[in-house]
Amino acid sequence: MTTTTSSPATATLPPLAELQQAYAELKARGLALDLTRGKPSAEQLDLAEPMLALPGVGQHTDDTGTDTRNYGGLDGGLAIRRIFAELLDVPVEQLLAGGNASLTLMHDVVAYAELFGFPESPTPWAREETVRWICPVPGYDRHFTICEALGIEMIPVPMTADGPDAEAVAALVADDPTIKGMWVVPTYSNPDGAVVTEDVARALVSMPAAAPDFRILWDNAYAVHHLTDDEVTSPNVLALAERAGNPDRVLLFASTSKITFAGAGVSFLASSPANLAWYKKHLSAASIGPDKINHLRHALFFGSAEGVREHMRRHREILAPKFEAVVQILAERLGAYGVASWTEPKGGYFVSLDVAPGTASRVVELAKEAGIALTPAGATHPYGKDPENRNVRLAPSMPPLEEVRTAMDGVATCVLLAAAEAGSAR
Ligand code: PMP
């Protein structure tokens, strides 16, 4: 469960003219700051710098005797799969290691379903009149892009502090065979930091679905990305699905993008033996094998699952102060006025800020004009449309701490001004 701060108003907003003056001063500073995307900072990337010397000249054979320089091995390197099987709590035989982007794996799974269908699909999805998909909101914009790119209609359902609203999802999928799947980010979700509880996970894997080929794309991108001592883990969803009699319902994804190098990490796919066989059958037409040298490089760098956990604690030392600054500045600058609420995540890469209804796009616009780039308003909703126009995703990982502070102070000024403008227009 993630904490959301929304204190009741104890003070009235400062007068509009005063806020306009504060904003003019902010603009006059000529800032150029960026809180748009959840990228690791250079300091975080430096933590993995020694990896650039691995595996090293002459070190190309892995511990199964495979020459990693050559073709082959669609499953990926065993050593890195062993490490991540432990971290993701899945059997190693049910885990594949792939290229550098889990997003590509997700895209390809949906694209293969469109082209060929899953084994139990009545027909390839592309031949269906309508294919629909459940998108918990606020959510990750690139998930929505995959749906849009592949012609899938999106149905928003609310996120709760315990994950997607499982009752709403169950009611939708029970009678509608056009709903073929849903997104879930189970740990420290993007953007609101929610962690799926065991009850929610169990409900999602057991609910009856009208579509025989209903799938959950379980994107565990932030499985080990803790910001506090409370290193939470999300439920063992593959085991729960199997126990519920729906072993093929879930495909689990993860990557080291925000562990080692965002552009040169390793992606993972875990699922039932039937889904993996299906995936590999189609993948084998596209690839003779993944980059096993990168798999070996990662395995040598980490050594063990504990090596990954240790490494992530060093990330936390860099990231936690930035998240603390965001939350502290929001509380100091906005807390008294009751015009905004925000999450206090225990992990992941984002703070989700809800501003006065109807003002999110104005906040982003004001910030932009003051030289502070924010993720576009609406990005956390399908089709870029936040019906209440109130959610803003904050991504404080990339800029140095002082810049995060400056940017957040500026964002707070924009939130107050937008709320006052909206109030005076009423
Ligand atoms: N899933 C989520 C929820 C993310 O937030 C991100 C990165 N912003 C990704 C996937 C991207 O993962 P990858 O780099 O492995 O493609």
Side-chain angles (χ1 to χ4, degrees), residues 38 100-104 106 140 143 185 190 219 221-222 254-255 257-258 262 267 350:
N100 73 319
S102 60
L103 208 57
T104 306
M106 296 176 228
Y140 177 38
H143 286 163
V185 181
N190 177 350
D219 177 5
Y222 300 105
S255 77
S257 289
K258 289 169 184 181
S267 62
F350 305 99

Side-chain angles (χ1 to χ4, degrees), residues 88-222:
L88 298 168
D89 199 11
V90 295
V92 68
E93 320 76 63
Q94 286 177 235
L95 180 70
L96 307 185
N100 73 319
S102 60
L103 208 57
T104 306
L105 298 180
M106 296 176 228
H107 176 276
D108 288 354
V109 162
V110 183
Y112 294 159
E114 288 282 346
L115 282 169
F116 313 110
F118 281 99
E120 71 277 32
S121 296
T123 182
W125 293 4
R127 298 222 186 106
E128 302 270 7
E129 186 97 359
T130 310
V131 175
R132 305 205 294 161
W133 199 269
I134 291 180
C135 300
V137 294
Y140 177 38
D141 55 351
R142 292 187 192 275
H143 286 163
F144 306 151
T145 304
I146 289 178
C147 286
E148 239 183 315
L150 298 173
I152 295 176
E153 275 178 32
M154 293 177 269
I155 312 170
V157 300
M159 278 295 281
T160 74
D162 297 333
D165 180 338
E167 270 182 37
V169 174
L172 282 163
V173 303
D175 314 307
D176 186 346
T178 70
I179 302 180
K180 295 286 196 186
M182 75 179 289
W183 298 111
V184 176
V185 181
T187 323
Y188 307 132
S189 69
N190 177 350
D192 59 4
V195 179
V196 167
T197 60
E198 179 128 352
D199 283 349
V200 168
R202 196 176 295 110
L204 294 175
V205 297
S206 0
M207 66 193 175
D213 49 355
F214 180 82
R215 291 292 188 277
I216 300 177
L217 268 55
W218 191 265
D219 177 5
N220 208 353
Y222 300 105

